[in-house]
Amino acid sequence: MEVADVHKRFGPQPVLRGTSFLIQAGEAVVIIGRSGGGKSILLKHLVGLLLPDSGQVRVFEQDLATMGERELLKVRRRFGMLFQMAALFDSLTVYENVGFVLRRERKHTEGEIRRLVAEALEMVDLPGIEHKMPSELSGGMRKRVGLARAIVYRPEIILYDEPTTGLDPIAASVIDALIRRVWRHLHVTSIAVTHDMKSARAISDRVLMLHEGCIYAQGSTAELLESTDPIISDFVNGVDNELAPDKTP
Amino acid sequence: MSRALAELGEFTRLVGEAIVSLRRQRPTWSEWIHQLYLIGVKSQSVVITTGAATGMVLCAQTFIQFHKVKMDTATGAVVSVGMCSELGPTLAALMLTARVGASMAAELGTMKVTEQVDALRTLATHPVDYLVVPRFLASLLAAPLLTAEAVLVGILASWLVGVHLLGIDSAYYLANMNKHTDPQDVIVGLIKATYFGGMIAMISCFKGLNCVGGAEGVGRATTEAVVACSITVLVSNFFLTLLLNAIFSH
């Protein structure tokens, strides 16, 4: 996957200003950056949910920016995505949510779909909840069902949009462990955006830092976490220079 | 003005995408039947009530005016023609707008703001195939059926009021009704109802899928859908009346 000089603005507000990076197949990458800094916007560009104003997003040797919505559907079949709030379909049961793509494709019998859904739910440690409605699930369970829905059809790339946001520390650790497990067992490319440094440590081998619409820094997780660059270290350590004690009058 | 034109362009694109979907994709029958149930079966009580009330009041008002010129027995004909070609399709469409259009815009709007529409797209499913086309097809079939039901109930209610309450002779009432109601009146009404049904679904889906913001955005999309559908029904009814009369009078 290659992102080359991508620009995106919403009205007068530029969000991405020449973002470029490369991700190899099989990597586990995390994109970090401040809230409202355009991380989720960038992630949506990677799967063609948003198209850049200029620049290229090349995935599987194809430039998503030049493709129509129906062509993009074929590319997206090779992606799985876990949304920030899971985005489960309210009117469908867990079984119907997780088996959604399989049932739409009509390539499997209902028995096979039932087995694959059960396997996916097993992988996220939620066996036997096929009959439940999304409204009956907690926030952490919804994310795990969202993850099951993203992996059930064996995608090659899985995108995670703020996977631990809104969860308590234990539920967040469970999600981090599941993301790592999915990456290892399914041999997928894993790309997550987060501002949660604990999560970034747990689920990535490489970190990209998005700052003011550009990739400001990239490197192994350890390198970035130990960086002395003030912008990186302030973000990693959660320091706001505007409110730092030594700067307050 | 430019915003309205841009919106019209976006709406035309949605209609075009729905046509492409109808030609290329196998419809999701289970979703279509589910929508047919929600739109058709669940709307019956409101449409029947509207038809009956309209038939009764139209009968009473017509009788009061016609009685002055000793034309009491023509009441049935006026009610029948009015219900079949104008009031039946228009009032059924307005009721569908309130009940179904609002619900479609709110449901799709909520799906949009909670990223469920984006989730559909990442699951290799075009939102038009899964969300719009089943609603459009169900509305296209349900609207004329509901209109026929409203018209029948309206005429029956008007007969009950005219004959049993106002004392019009039943034989004359029915004979005049049969004499002056042409098959063309029924066909015109059903064509209008089909058109209204399709437009209500498309406009409501369009407003829902273009919803922005949170709960406030969903509310705004729902209101806009109801207003746009109502105006479309009332204004296009006039032009459809002229057009269909011109076609059938030849």
Side-chain angles (χ1 to χ4, degrees), chain B residues 73-153:
Chain B
T73 54
T75 300
V78 172
V79 171
S80 171
V81 173
M83 284 298 291
C84 284
S85 61
E86 297 296 337
L87 289 172
T90 309
L91 291 176
L94 290 176
M95 288 299 111
L96 277 180
T97 294
R99 214 200 74 80
V100 174
S103 156
M104 279 184 198
E107 185 182 1
L108 268 57
T110 306
M111 288 185 74
K112 178 81 191 306
V113 301
T114 55
E115 294 188 310
Q116 291 178 55
V117 173
D118 279 345
L120 264 183
R121 295 168 70 201
T122 60
L123 294 169
T125 301
H126 201 300
V128 171
D129 298 346
Y130 185 72
L131 297 175
V132 179
V133 168
R135 284 166 175 77
F136 172 70
L137 289 178
S139 194
L140 215 57
L141 181 62
L145 291 175
L146 288 167
T147 298
E149 201 172 15
V151 169
L152 281 173
V153 172

Side-chain angles (χ1 to χ4, degrees), chain A residues 44 47-49 69-70 73 76-77 79 81 83-84 87-90 92 100-101 104 106 149 153, chain B residues 17 20-21 24-28 111 114-116 118-127 129-130:
Chain A
K44 287 185 176 180
V47 70
L49 289 176
E69 181 68 17
R70 289 198 183 273
L73 294 178
R76 290 194 195 119
R77 173 63 179 78
F79 280 88
M81 184 160 178
F83 286 82
Q84 195 169 341
L88 298 180
F89 304 126
D90 299 333
L92 305 183
F100 187 85
V101 169
R104 293 277 300 167
R106 296 166 171 151
R149 184 176 70 179
Y153 52 93
Chain B
E17 198 58 61
V20 169
S21 174
R24 288 191 191 168
Q25 303 292 317
R26 271 165 64 185
T28 315
M111 288 185 74
T114 55
E115 294 188 310
Q116 291 178 55
D118 279 345
L120 264 183
R121 295 168 70 201
T122 60
L123 294 169
T125 301
H126 201 300
D129 298 346
Y130 185 72

Side-chain angles (χ1 to χ4, degrees), chain A residues 26-29 123 147 151 154-156 158 160 173-191 201-205:
Chain A
E27 274 195 288
V29 174
M123 182 163 256
L147 182 55
I151 62 173
R154 298 292 185 263
E156 294 161 55
I158 304 185
Y160 303 92
S173 296
V174 169
I175 292 289
D176 287 341
L178 288 174
I179 290 172
R180 202 71 187 171
R181 183 195 292 176
V182 165
W183 177 68
R184 280 212 189 97
H185 288 209
L186 302 184
H187 309 292
V188 293
T189 307
S190 174
I191 305 170
R201 275 190 196 95
I203 63 177
S204 69
D205 292 331

Side-chain angles (χ1 to χ4, degrees), chain B residues 38-53 95 99 146 149-150 153:
Chain B
L38 292 179
I39 298 169
V41 179
K42 292 278 209 174
S43 300
Q44 284 193 87
S45 57
V46 70
V47 167
I48 287 172
T49 308
T50 306
M95 288 299 111
R99 214 200 74 80
L146 288 167
E149 201 172 15
V153 172

